[in-house]
Amino acid sequence: MGKVGAGGGSPAGLSALLAGAGLLVLCVPGACCGGSCCPQLPPGSAPGWAATPGGFVGRGPRGRAAATPLPLLGRPLFAVAPGDRALSLERAPGTAAFVAMAPRAGRRRRSEAEPGKADRGEGASRSPRGMLRDGGQPGPGTLERDPDKATRFRMEELRLTSTTFALTGDSAHNQAMVHWSGHNSSVILILTKLYDYNLGSITESSLWRSTDYGTTYEKLNDKVGLKTILSYLYVCPTNKRKIMLLTDPEIESSLLISSDEGATYQKYRLNFYIQSLLFHPKQEDWILAYSQDQKLYSSAEFGRRWQLIQEGVVPNRFYWSVMGSNKEPDLVHLEARTIDGHSQYLTCRMQNCTEANRNKPFPGYIDPDSLIVQDDYVFVQLTSGGRPHYYVSYRRNAFAQMKLPKYALPKDMHVISTDENQVFAAVQEWNQNDTYNLYISDTRGVYFTLALENVQSSRGPEGNIMIDLYEVAGIKGMFLANKKIDNQVKTFITYNKGRDWRLLQAPDTDLRGDPVHCLLPYCSLHLHLKVSENPYTSGIIASRDTAPSIIVASGNIGSELSDSDISMFVSSDAGNTWRQIFEEEHSVLYLDQGGVLVAMKHTSLPIRHLWLSFDEGRSWSKYSFTSIPLFVDGVLGEPGEETLIMTVFGHFSHRSEWQLVKVDYKSIFDRRCAEEDYRPWQLHSQGEACIMGAKRVYKKRKSERKCMQGKYAGAMESEPCVCTEADFDCDYGYERHSNGQCLPAFWFNPSSLSKDCSLGQSYLNSTGYRKVVSNNCTDGVREQYTAKPQKCPGKAPRGLRIVTADGKLTAEQGHNVTLMVQLEEGDVQRTLIQVDFGDGVAVSYVNLSSMEDGIKHVYHNVGIFRVTVQVDNGLGSDSAVLYLHVTCPLEHVHLSLPFVTTKNKEVNATAVLWPSQVGTLTYVWWYGNNTEPLITLEGSISFKFTSEGMNTITVQVSAGNAILQDTKSIAVYEEFRSLRLSFSPNLDDYNPDIPEWRRDISRVIKKSLVEATGVPGEHILVAVLPGLPTAAELFVLPYQDPAGESKRSAEDLEQISELLIHKLNQNSVHFELKPGVQILVHAAHLTAAPLVDLTPTHSGSAMLMLLSVVFVGLAVFVIYKFKRRVALPSPPSPSTQPGDSSLRLQRARHATPPSTPKRGSAGAQFAI
């Protein structure tokens, strides 16, 4: 899984369910079709399957799971309760058909034709891949045509009772949202909008309301404001009378609230822009609102007042408390980002979410966009060592790491379902690319066992992962899945939550009753498992809780699933047998609790007919629902148990108004059903009546009766079965072999299950089997296969490990590091544990249970610490060692080296750090013309330059994940002169002692020297040194002009030096720092060597070395002064006084004797 995902990104496909109102968008948001594009829905507005750059996937409608990259991951917002009806339509401008009913990409469509007639010549016979079919007259050994098994179509046209209403004035509007709540309510609300694809915004809107089930509508623009532009419609899921309209934030940020099913509205302005809403599952007035600037707000007054809960909330990662698992109904779960970009899991009360009142149920940080709160479970992801690790909390208890088979090594994980106290997950393992393995957990969601391998997946238009798995409604434990075998995709079915799977038996005959030769396992029926994200409209496959035996799906017969030769199939006995009902794809809706099937063809052409079946798809009757053919955009089906009304949305042409056709099916029924109109039907799997440990008998209406069922009767009776081996799956760590036995996997040690108990206590010793969760069988082999209580054996400690909680080998100075002690086996309750942190601190524990949350310790110094743990329980001992690198953040790097040096002389470069002690570091040096760096563990290097010129030196310091660098330039010459400069004391008052200031002042001093002496600037280099009092180094450099003349000789440098000293002693060098602040530049004392640029943060050893060099140089100078005096020619100006500063000359080679000093010279001394 890349990330744990549960929440709200818009799922792929033709539809997405909007929060609270259940608004169906019949277009892929943000995708282009028909020459135009659907607008992007607000993040978090679509419940349904989830998301992340691969992530845990939250549960949405039954069926195929989708996840957007990690990550990923969409969690369901509050879905609409059964009986709610809401629809959102979108029409692409310039096209004759709306997106909803247009042909799906990659699926071949036939032209408009009567059912039973294909798009080939009359009498032709089609043979899908892997299937043999007889044509013409039957011969010897062939199956004859069976007219009784053919699907019957009554071609006589019947008429349904219907009325049509046009939304006059909205012909330009290309989007519509429809809400029909049902529950004995006759109110329908429709919001139509004009979305400008060029501007990317809504420019017009209209609000319509019907109080007679859609016969007539009233336009309410004057009640909401004629200039108000509405963007979304929300309905309270626990009180359908409460309506909320959201204005377009491009114009204003406001809410319009109604408490009378949209008859009247009150307007409330907002100081933030709503991106998504989340209604409380029980409290009708409690709402969470997520803003466009990632802030989460709460309202306890249905949006009339709002209060800020938290800033920096991750989109779609906020949840209300789950009743039964949380004591406080107003508790909010959320994932928030810290200032430094980390994510953490927080909980707080909706009206009291201060820093002091926030809780952190999961210690430490989690992976971004990975929090899911779903039913009794909370999931998070934490990546360490390059591998994702998944954690689960059951009923809000402490988090435990989810245990997959040891070598599953997941890359991606999606939670498919958390129903019935069990987690159903799809895992992409290390060696899979386009398939996933299905795993099913124990009750706590910790231990997972394999249910099915290599389930097909695909990537949706928005990059989200679509997993081919479908949960059949009404029958617990029943799933359909498309499995990839040798590059062929085949459909499998299970009736016991994945314990056993089998292929689907193809129909015996086709639509006309012709025999179909399709032998298992070489040929079977394969289904497309795409569902509608709106639970009240039809997808490619559909089932319903109130019709548990009926499944309608599109697919093909053959050796594998195909995108061609697609037909419609129905099963009326829960997937045991199938019949072909159409040769083209149709949308099939359930009417009257599944007693009647309504089929409408998928086509881009206008239609006026639909098909009805009273006998579970065996025969169909043709009905017209409108007199004028209609481009159908969507259908809103039965809104309540007692109502038999359907609304068809469409248009007569692409420029016409929206047409709403109200179809009333009451006239097709003779009467209400009585007890004698029903027959019993027993659920079974290929004749086996015990399904999930029980025999279930349901009531079905007799096919020849055309009575109205009304309320769903449910199962007639349920009887538990005697437990057999088929009711048990393999336990964690066990694998089923060819003989049906569950035996330990090669990596699993069964005795490890007893590691958490002490001598004298008991633990449950697995038999290798565990009963399928929600299985109701009794007696039989239950006792034989159930885990047995067993006394804990006395074991010596073995397999001891000590690791950090996040799996890293580094810790930060001054911060808590959590150490985890892990023991494979041993008597942990009577175990003495001694932990030495390596910094002089040691602790002892009497058992491992007291260390379940880890051992927290703070290191106050940096370095590499040897952490040891010793475990002893009297039966033996074990020890483990962890070498922990404690660091502190590296904030600054300063490269210290001379400004000027002589050729072929060794130069020292030092990287000075702040702070000086940060732990283990790596230094990367780049200097000269070297193409490869020098890598060291020390912060100093020595090197030589063999040629003159300017050179650049760069040092990069790597500290953990941070890399800092500094670059300096150094001038290399055969000879140069240097002089220390000092300044007026008032300069110190303006010296902030930062590199930028020193560079600017150096430039000003150089400019003053050039102006005072007339010496070309190329001969002068000035470097202001760090620290106070302010001082600088003056360098006199040789220079070769562009004309190619020879460089200045030593005598020329001496003359320039004398001139500079003369001007400095005459106070001729000065500059104005700021108005009224004059700074004089003086010649200071003689230096023994060129000074280097050191910051105040240099090491003590470097300072001692520097001082030693200076003192030695001064001593040499004093000795030299008494033994030999060298006078230099004075410039043509008054002589300097004794005590003036001296210049020194450095040469690497070709040194010349010093000149004889002239009488009256300045007394400057030069070192050769």
Side-chain angles (χ1 to χ4, degrees):
M1 142 185 155
K3 296 187 170 43
V4 180
S10 299
L14 293 178
S15 56
L17 194 63
L18 291 183
L23 302 179
L24 179 65
V25 178
L26 300 179
C27 168
V28 179
C32 297
C33 38
S36 58
C37 299
C38 297
Q40 187 66 43
L41 292 177
S45 61
W49 297 97
T52 214
F56 268 151
V57 180
R59 183 196 62 214
R62 284 186 179 87
R64 182 165 170 160
T68 54
L70 151 143
L72 202 194
L73 243 198
R75 85 183 147 72
L77 299 179
F78 194 87
V80 190
D84 296 347
R85 291 298 180 273
L87 183 71
S88 176
L89 309 172
E90 178 146 0
R91 174 169 57 182
T95 60
F98 280 57
V99 179
M101 303 300 290
R104 295 182 180 89
R107 304 287 173 87
R108 190 177 69 185
R109 289 291 192 280
R110 299 179 177 85
S111 60
E112 181 80 349
E114 298 295 341
K117 294 184 180 180
D119 54 352
R120 54 190 183 274
E122 190 68 34
S125 181
R126 179 176 60 180
S127 297
R129 287 177 288 176
M131 181 184 72
L132 300 176
R133 174 173 293 172
D134 292 334
Q137 296 297 322
T142 64
L143 297 176
E144 295 188 10
R145 179 171 182 171
D146 187 351
D148 293 335
K149 292 187 177 181
T151 301
R152 299 182 298 276
F153 293 91
R154 181 179 177 181
M155 303 311 296
E156 176 188 355
E157 181 178 313
L158 302 176
R159 175 76 181 177
L160 290 169
T161 303
S162 65
T163 59
T164 303
F165 186 89
L167 302 184
T168 306
D170 289 353
S171 60
H173 291 192
N174 51 14
Q175 294 180 1
M177 293 180 174
V178 186
H179 169 72
W180 190 358
S181 66
H183 295 287
N184 299 319
S185 172
S186 60
V187 174
I188 301 176
L189 289 173
I190 300 179
L191 172 63
T192 66
K193 301 176 289 183
L194 172 59
Y195 184 86
D196 191 310
Y197 294 90
N198 296 319
L199 298 177
S201 62
I202 301 168
T203 57
E204 294 180 17
S205 68
S206 295
L207 182 65
W208 300 81
R209 184 173 185 264
S210 172
T211 58
D212 52 11
Y213 292 101
T215 303
T216 59
Y217 289 84
E218 176 190 3
K219 198 170 188 177
L220 302 182
N221 283 26
D222 56 336
K223 294 186 178 181
V224 298
L226 293 175
K227 295 184 178 180
T228 300
I229 297 179
L230 303 174
S231 59
Y232 289 97
L233 181 153
Y234 295 89
V235 181
C236 176
T238 54
N239 184 352
K240 305 303 181 299
R241 295 183 59 83
K242 293 190 174 182
I243 310 295
M244 182 179 293
L245 298 171
L246 184 62
T247 62
D248 184 10
E250 297 284 337
I251 308 300
E252 63 174 329
S253 183
S254 299
L255 287 176
L256 288 96
I257 297 174
S258 172
S259 299
D260 51 10
E261 281 194 288
T264 59
Y265 292 89
Q266 291 179 304
K267 194 171 188 177
Y268 297 87
R269 293 196 176 274
L270 300 173
N271 57 2
F272 62 96
Y273 297 103
I274 293 179
Q275 184 166 319
S276 61
L277 294 177
L278 182 62
F279 292 85
H280 194 276
K282 298 293 183 182
Q283 300 292 331
E284 61 185 55
D285 289 334
W286 293 4
I287 309 174
L288 296 179
Y290 186 74
S291 69
Q292 294 181 4
D293 56 354
Q294 298 186 343
K295 295 178 181 178
L296 187 65
Y297 296 84
S298 69
S299 174
E301 303 177 50
F302 199 72
R304 292 172 177 84
R305 292 184 180 83
W306 296 92
Q307 179 176 329
L308 178 65
I309 293 182
Q310 175 71 34
E311 298 182 1
V313 176
V314 177
N316 310 311
R317 302 297 173 185
F318 51 91
Y319 310 83
W320 283 111
S321 62
V322 176
M323 307 308 294
S325 294
N326 294 108
K327 297 179 181 178
E328 305 91 355
D330 62 342
L331 192 69
V332 178
H333 302 257
L334 58 92
E335 178 184 333
R337 290 193 179 96
T338 61
I339 297 177
D340 53 2
H342 292 100
S343 288
Q344 55 186 180
Y345 168 30
L346 304 176
T347 61
C348 63
R349 310 288 286 271
M350 64 177 291
Q351 298 293 324
N352 189 20
C353 198
T354 61
E355 183 70 30
N357 293 307
R358 295 184 193 124
N359 294 317
K360 299 177 182 178
F362 186 82
Y365 299 126
I366 63 175
D367 285 357
D369 201 28
S370 71
L371 173 67
I372 296 177
V373 181
Q374 187 167 298
D375 295 329
D376 286 334
Y377 301 90
V378 179
F379 303 95
V380 296
Q381 175 181 316
L382 179 64
T383 299
S384 63
R387 293 181 183 175
H389 301 279
Y390 310 106
Y391 294 85
V392 61
S393 168
Y394 177 61
R395 292 186 175 174
R396 310 305 181 258
N397 292 315
F399 278 88
Q401 186 170 349
M402 298 166 66
K403 302 290 186 181
L404 293 167
K406 187 173 182 179
Y407 295 107
L409 305 179
K411 298 188 296 185
D412 191 24
M413 178 182 286
H414 304 282
V415 173
I416 302 299
S417 169
T418 54
D419 292 335
E420 300 175 339
N421 295 322
Q422 190 172 41
V423 179
F424 211 168
V427 176
Q428 188 172 65
E429 301 186 11
W430 64 274
N431 57 350
Q432 294 178 305
N433 293 317
D434 59 351
T435 61
Y436 282 73
N437 290 347
L438 296 181
Y439 284 90
I440 198 161
S441 78
D442 61 351
T443 300
R444 295 191 302 130
V446 175
Y447 292 100
F448 285 78
T449 55
L450 182 65
L452 184 66
E453 291 183 296
N454 296 319
V455 177
Q456 177 70 11
S457 70
S458 59
R459 195 166 291 277
E462 297 179 45
N464 49 340
I465 298 299
M466 310 294 293
I467 300 171
D468 277 13
L469 178 70
Y470 179 80
E471 182 179 3
V472 178
I475 303 177
K476 67 178 182 178
M478 185 176 175
F479 290 85
L480 292 161
N482 285 330
K483 179 179 179 179
K484 193 171 185 179
I485 304 175
D486 298 330
N487 291 322
Q488 289 186 325
V489 178
K490 301 174 183 286
T491 300
F492 287 77
I493 189 171
T494 180
Y495 293 86
N496 51 11
K497 274 198 170 179
R499 191 231 183 252
D500 302 291
W501 296 83
R502 64 173 174 82
L503 292 166
L504 296 180
Q505 177 65 58
D508 294 333
T509 61
D510 65 4
L511 199 65
R512 300 165 191 78
D514 293 330
V516 175
H517 290 244
C518 185
L519 302 177
L520 293 173
Y522 311 104
C523 173
S524 60
L525 174 64
H526 309 287
L527 304 177
H528 293 278
L529 303 182
K530 180 183 172 65
V531 298
S532 169
E533 282 78 5
N534 187 313
Y536 311 111
T537 59
S538 176
I540 297 179
I541 184 169
S543 59
R544 191 163 177 176
D545 289 321
T546 56
S549 64
I550 303 175
I551 308 170
V552 183
S554 67
N556 64 282
I557 300 172
S559 60
E560 63 176 319
L561 183 66
S562 171
D563 282 333
S564 60
D565 298 321
I566 296 175
S567 299
M568 296 297 298
F569 298 88
V570 65
S571 174
S572 57
D573 57 4
N576 286 280
T577 61
W578 296 81
R579 293 188 305 277
Q580 185 181 12
I581 54 175
F582 296 105
E583 286 187 330
E584 301 87 7
E585 284 190 67
H586 283 65
S587 290
V588 179
L589 296 94
Y590 292 72
L591 193 69
D592 187 33
Q593 312 305 330
V596 178
L597 298 180
V598 181
M600 188 174 293
K601 186 177 180 180
H602 283 171
T603 178
S604 59
L605 301 175
I607 60 175
R608 65 186 189 90
H609 300 107
L610 51 78
W611 297 86
L612 297 181
S613 174
F614 287 84
D615 53 7
E616 300 173 339
R618 293 179 180 85
S619 62
W620 296 84
S621 298
K622 183 179 181 180
Y623 285 82
S624 64
F625 64 92
T626 178
S627 58
I628 303 175
L630 185 74
F631 290 101
V632 177
D633 306 315
V635 179
L636 198 58
E638 177 183 0
E641 294 179 341
E642 302 293 332
T643 310
L644 295 170
I645 296 175
M646 182 182 294
T647 301
V648 181
F649 305 89
H651 56 291
F652 295 133
S653 70
H654 71 276
R655 295 186 181 277
S656 69
E657 289 88 359
W658 294 82
Q659 305 293 326
L660 287 82
V661 181
K662 171 189 171 183
V663 183
D664 193 335
Y665 291 91
K666 292 189 184 74
S667 61
I668 68 174
F669 297 100
D670 301 331
R671 54 184 171 79
R672 279 192 174 274
C673 293
E675 189 65 30
E676 59 271 16
D677 295 313
Y678 292 94
R679 63 179 177 86
W681 173 79
Q682 185 171 53
L683 173 66
H684 66 94
S685 169
Q686 300 298 300
E688 174 56 55
C690 285
I691 304 293
M692 293 293 286
K695 296 179 180 179
R696 292 180 177 85
V697 179
Y698 296 84
K699 287 170 49 175
K700 274 193 174 186
R701 193 190 62 192
K702 296 177 181 178
S703 58
E704 67 273 12
R705 307 294 172 88
K706 290 189 176 183
C707 56
M708 185 176 68
Q709 296 189 107
K711 293 186 177 181
Y712 171 56
M716 193 172 176
E717 61 182 44
S718 178
E719 176 187 348
C721 297
V722 175
C723 291
T724 66
E725 188 269 342
D727 297 305
F728 290 82
D729 205 350
C730 291
D731 204 352
Y732 175 76
Y734 292 81
E735 297 174 336
R736 191 176 301 279
H737 288 243
S738 57
N739 60 1
Q741 287 186 313
C742 293
L743 300 176
F746 75 93
W747 50 266
F748 182 67
N749 179 12
S751 65
S752 65
L753 296 175
S754 64
K755 69 177 183 179
D756 293 330
C757 67
S758 295
L759 190 64
Q761 296 182 338
S762 298
Y763 73 101
L764 290 176
N765 186 21
S766 175
T767 62
Y769 299 84
R770 70 183 183 195
K771 194 166 77 166
V772 175
V773 174
S774 300
N775 187 294
N776 297 322
C777 72
T778 59
D779 301 329
V781 299
R782 185 176 63 173
E783 183 67 22
Q784 176 186 345
Y785 282 85
T786 302
K788 307 293 190 300
Q790 186 170 324
K791 292 292 184 181
C792 296
K795 293 184 179 181
R798 189 183 69 83
L800 180 67
R801 295 178 64 227
I802 181 169
V803 296
T804 59
D806 58 5
K808 298 179 180 178
L809 297 176
T810 60
E812 192 170 331
Q813 177 191 12
H815 289 71
N816 264 323
V817 58
T818 302
L819 300 172
M820 310 297 293
V821 177
Q822 302 170 352
L823 188 64
E824 285 189 9
E825 65 178 43
D827 186 354
V828 298
Q829 296 298 325
R830 300 184 182 182
T831 299
L832 177 64
I833 303 104
Q834 295 177 313
V835 181
D836 188 338
F837 297 104
D839 62 348
V841 179
V843 294
S844 297
Y845 298 89
V846 294
N847 58 64
L848 276 179
S849 61
S850 60
M851 306 163 57
E852 289 180 350
D853 295 332
I855 308 169
K856 291 181 170 53
H857 184 65
V858 177
Y859 286 91
H860 299 287
N861 298 307
V862 299
I864 303 176
F865 294 89
R866 186 176 186 267
V867 185
T868 60
V869 58
Q870 178 81 21
V871 175
D872 190 339
N873 67 358
L875 299 174
S877 62
D878 198 2
S879 61
V881 177
L882 171 69
Y883 295 97
L884 186 66
H885 293 243
V886 178
T887 64
C888 68
L890 180 61
E891 299 179 13
H892 180 69
V893 174
H894 174 78
L895 179 58
S896 172
L897 75 162
F899 299 104
V900 185
T901 188
T902 54
K903 188 169 62 173
N904 291 323
K905 180 179 179 180
E906 193 170 80
V907 176
N908 292 322
T910 301
V912 183
L913 312 178
W914 178 258
S916 59
Q917 298 295 325
V918 294
T920 306
L921 302 173
T922 302
Y923 299 84
V924 182
W925 305 86
W926 305 81
Y927 59 90
N929 295 320
N930 294 350
T931 58
E932 296 293 333
L934 173 65
I935 301 176
T936 69
L937 298 178
E938 298 293 333
S940 298
I941 61 169
S942 299
F943 49 89
K944 296 179 181 179
F945 292 104
T946 59
S947 60
E948 294 185 277
M950 296 298 295
N951 291 273
T952 299
I953 301 177
T954 298
V955 61
Q956 294 178 327
V957 184
S958 175
N961 294 327
I963 298 179
L964 278 71
Q965 76 173 31
D966 190 22
T967 300
K968 290 290 192 310
S969 295
I970 182 172
V972 181
Y973 296 101
E974 287 192 2
E975 58 181 6
F976 63 89
R977 297 187 178 230
S978 65
L979 176 68
R980 177 67 68 88
L981 301 177
S982 61
F983 305 92
S984 305
N986 58 343
L987 182 60
D988 294 343
D989 298 334
Y990 302 95
N991 184 354
D993 198 21
I994 59 175
E996 294 87 347
W997 186 88
R998 292 193 289 271
R999 286 195 294 268
D1000 289 338
I1001 293 298
S1002 298
R1003 187 178 64 255
V1004 173
I1005 297 170
K1006 177 179 177 179
K1007 180 180 179 182
S1008 301
L1009 289 168
V1010 170
E1011 291 176 351
T1013 62
V1015 175
E1018 292 80 1
H1019 285 291
I1020 298 175
L1021 174 64
V1022 177
V1024 176
L1025 304 177
L1028 296 174
T1030 309
E1033 185 92 357
L1034 169 62
F1035 297 93
V1036 181
L1037 309 175
Y1039 171 71
Q1040 185 171 7
D1041 58 31
E1045 295 181 3
S1046 60
K1047 294 185 295 184
R1048 299 277 186 172
S1049 64
E1051 290 77 11
D1052 296 330
L1053 294 180
E1054 291 167 0
Q1055 290 181 1
I1056 294 173
S1057 302
E1058 288 294 326
L1059 176 60
L1060 290 170
I1061 291 174
H1062 176 72
K1063 291 295 184 181
L1064 289 168
N1065 289 336
Q1066 283 190 329
N1067 296 330
S1068 300
V1069 182
H1070 52 81
F1071 61 90
E1072 187 176 52
L1073 184 66
K1074 57 187 299 186
V1077 180
Q1078 288 288 331
I1079 305 298
L1080 291 175
V1081 184
H1082 308 285
H1085 298 290
L1086 174 70
T1087 58
L1091 298 180
V1092 295
D1093 183 13
L1094 294 174
T1095 66
T1097 58
H1098 58 270
S1099 64
S1101 57
M1103 278 296 300
L1104 290 175
M1105 184 179 295
L1106 179 60
L1107 292 174
S1108 300
V1109 172
V1110 172
F1111 282 123
V1112 170
L1114 289 174
V1116 171
F1117 167 72
V1118 172
I1119 296 173
Y1120 184 83
K1121 181 176 181 179
F1122 282 99
K1123 289 192 174 183
R1124 181 177 182 182
R1125 297 179 60 86
V1126 181
L1128 294 179
S1130 301
S1133 59
S1135 61
T1136 59
Q1137 299 298 318
D1140 291 343
S1141 297
S1142 303
L1143 287 155
R1144 51 183 166 73
L1145 171 68
Q1146 291 195 350
R1147 296 183 186 175
R1149 46 189 172 176
H1150 306 300
T1152 56
S1155 303
T1156 303
K1158 294 185 180 180
R1159 190 176 301 276
S1161 68
Q1165 306 298 314
F1166 298 88
I1168 300 176

